[in-house]
Amino acid sequence: MANTLVKTTQDGRSVEVIDGWVCLAGLKEADTLVPLIEHPNRQAILAAVPGATHMAGRLPLTHEEAAIAQGAMTAEQRTIDTSPMAIAQRLRRAIWAKAVAEGVE
């Protein structure tokens, strides 16, 4: 799948979605977006980046940028890899998510 450009940082690095990950200059940063209202450091983030609505790892995103990133990440998740390794990885994630939901840390 093609890389999706989300934005370019002030110092010229590109923020893209690559293989379902939000990447900064080609390096993986986050595989999920966190709404700013759920972020523990939201006040400091809003002071530094007033238009931010979401965080992707350490990258603040506006609403429009978050929509682009989430759309690209969702599209990547829709493609299903049927290799045994990919199936095992999906099972591990599902088991871990169930354990976390039940209170295991």
Side-chain angles (χ1 to χ4, degrees):
M1 179 161 268
N3 301 348
T4 303
L5 179 67
V6 176
K7 70 176 187 175
T8 303
T9 62
Q10 290 178 343
D11 62 357
R13 295 180 289 173
S14 63
V15 177
E16 300 175 297
V17 175
I18 304 170
D19 295 331
W21 285 80
V22 176
C23 300
L24 176 62
L27 301 174
K28 292 180 180 178
E29 191 69 33
D31 63 348
T32 58
L33 300 181
V34 177
L36 201 58
I37 60 172
E38 296 176 10
H39 199 282
N41 205 12
R42 65 183 163 271
Q43 291 175 343
I45 295 166
L46 278 175
V49 186
T53 61
H54 291 76
M55 292 296 292
R58 60 192 169 126
L59 301 170
L61 301 174
T62 64
H63 182 73
E64 293 79 16
E65 294 163 349
I68 293 168
Q70 189 63 56
M73 291 165 61
T74 300
E76 180 65 31
Q77 290 171 353
R78 287 187 185 138
T79 60
I80 297 176
D81 184 358
T82 58
S83 70
M85 185 178 288
I87 292 169
Q89 179 65 21
R90 286 195 302 273
L91 285 172
R92 277 193 293 276
R93 286 182 182 164
I95 292 167
W96 182 248
K98 182 178 184 292
V100 168
E102 292 174 350
V104 176
E105 294 183 9

